[in-house]
Amino acid sequence: MRVLMIGANGYIGRFVADRLLADPAVQLTALGRGDDADVRFDLATGSPGALTRFLDAVHPGVVVNCAGATRGGARDLTRHNTVAVATVCEALRRSGCGARLVQIGCGSEYGPSQPGSSTAEDAVPRPGGPYGVSKLAATELVLGSGLDAVVLRVFSPAGPGTPAGSPLGRLAEAMRRAMQAGDGELKLAGLGVQRDFVDVRDVARAVHAASLSAAQGVINIGSGRAVRLRDAATVLARVAGYGGALNELDAPPGPLRGQIGHPRGDLDHAVPVAYPYPDGCGSWQQADVRTARDRLGWRPRINLEESLADIWMEAACRI
């Protein structure tokens, strides 16, 4: 099976590429903006015609798109998350390769949900920020393209490779600084937020399964269980061997920017502490993952403690 992988150097993409390369039946070609891609191509600026010619030459059976942006203004997010996907869809429509498209979406497309509820694929999306809007627009483009396509809505990925600037990455970094400074208290913001964490290696397994399946439409990829950030911080402290107190800062009203937490000695000079999940999804998010089980034969295997242990190992080694 020839697979064209877009975004193989991203957080999720690296693990998807590793998973696909481990399958001896897969011939993988990586397309991206970096020098280490097999073929250099910028989806945000490249033309559908140029991508069509490449598709006709390589003739993949599956195209996996893990590319996109999680940060930036509305213009950049639209360019990298929406316009780029429009380019992929148009190129696939023009090409004679007949490839299946596996698009990586996100839980932010749904927006806020009722605490205690599980969000299923038939929920009406109401994204609460430009990132979710740009990803939802991409999903709608894929679903309306007429292609053999599936969108995997990934909730909150965790595990090795978690970006240092992500909420869990910032949490681990704040704890590392507190331990390094010998501080017996760590103050954090937004510990009441609850998210559905899923290990990035389980996400890669889901992408592999979707590539081999005939499933179409939208499929949620999550653990099926919301976890309070305070509980995740407690697990991380146990994994890290941090014996200090974890206390919550009251976040000032209004949009904030800054870091998830500061050791006590840094508070006087710190910028306001950020709400740890500026994803527009409010205080609660939990995926209904029955569709992934029924249509992909997929279930998450890696628990949050293992994911956090890997995040901590990388943070502890950071100089």
Side-chain angles (χ1 to χ4, degrees), residues 290-302:
R290 289 176 293 179
T291 301
R293 178 195 64 199
D294 296 342
R295 297 173 65 187
L296 300 181
W298 176 90
R299 288 179 174 84
R301 293 178 181 173
I302 300 173

Side-chain angles (χ1 to χ4, degrees), residues 75 78 87 90 109 139 260 314:
R75 177 178 296 180
T78 300
T87 298
E90 180 60 25
E109 296 175 41
T139 291
I260 187 171
E314 293 179 348

